[in-house]
Amino acid sequence: NSGSAYFISGTSASANVAPTPASVSVSPQGVNVGSSVTFTGTWTEPNGGDLDKMYICKDSACTNCDNTTQTGCWCYSSAYNTEPDVTDTCTYTALTADIGNRNFWLSVCDDQPSCSSYALFGRSFTVGPNSNPILKLVGGIILWLKGFLSLIIR
């Protein structure tokens, strides 16, 4: 009918709101190359039914650490989490290039996709050199090196 007005009743879809990081920790706080650290993150999810993933970022902007690319992450959730499970863990194995103090931040993205508007700083963890014993033959003398200790055996 031309000129007639139609009214459609129902509920309007509300805008998606990104998850909010709440806490992040690492255990242990010091490892050697080849050992693993486990990160634990918690967050709040304001939209019921959203699926969330946790990302542990290498910088505060979470550069290349989100639901499209993970090259800037220490680690991230292996699968989406459903409510009320708003906590997750992920593991990272330290490399030689990681030696030193390393900062980390928590970001969370949902499946809409929306990511947290800021990353939560989680302090740092320390990576030391590999502490496996190394035997070296130097001029007929065997040197045993472990960490910072050495022993000469003739």
Side-chain angles (χ1 to χ4, degrees):
N1 226 357
S2 179
S4 297
Y6 292 95
F7 178 85
I8 300 172
S9 76
T11 59
S12 63
S14 60
N16 183 60
V17 178
T20 303
S23 69
V24 62
S25 61
V26 65
S27 180
Q29 287 188 316
V31 295
N32 291 323
V33 170
S35 297
S36 296
V37 292
T38 299
F39 298 93
T40 302
T42 63
W43 60 92
T44 58
E45 172 52 71
N47 303 110
D50 280 0
L51 302 173
D52 300 332
K53 274 191 177 182
M54 164 182 96
Y55 298 87
I56 303 298
C57 311
K58 292 182 178 182
D59 66 45
S60 62
C62 288
T63 308
N64 296 321
C65 186
D66 57 26
N67 52 11
T68 58
T69 184
Q70 295 80 40
T71 57
C73 300
W74 292 113
C75 64
Y76 54 95
S77 297
S78 58
Y80 278 106
N81 294 285
T82 57
E83 292 183 85
D85 183 16
V86 289
T87 185
D88 201 5
T89 61
C90 64
T91 302
Y92 176 77
T93 302
L95 305 172
T96 301
D98 301 325
I99 291 174
N101 289 327
R102 299 292 170 202
N103 293 331
F104 61 94
W105 291 262
L106 168 65
S107 180
V108 183
C109 298
D110 64 25
D111 61 337
Q112 296 306 309
S114 279
C115 295
S116 50
S117 59
Y118 67 92
L120 182 67
F121 181 55
R123 297 190 295 183
S124 64
F125 65 101
T126 303
V127 178
N130 190 328
S131 66
N132 291 332
I134 300 170
L135 294 177
K136 250 185 185 178
L137 181 60
V138 180
I141 300 173
I142 297 174
L143 299 176
W144 178 64
L145 307 170
K146 181 171 172 96
F148 298 105
L149 299 176
S150 64
L151 172 66
I152 299 174
I153 304 170
R154 294 182 187 239

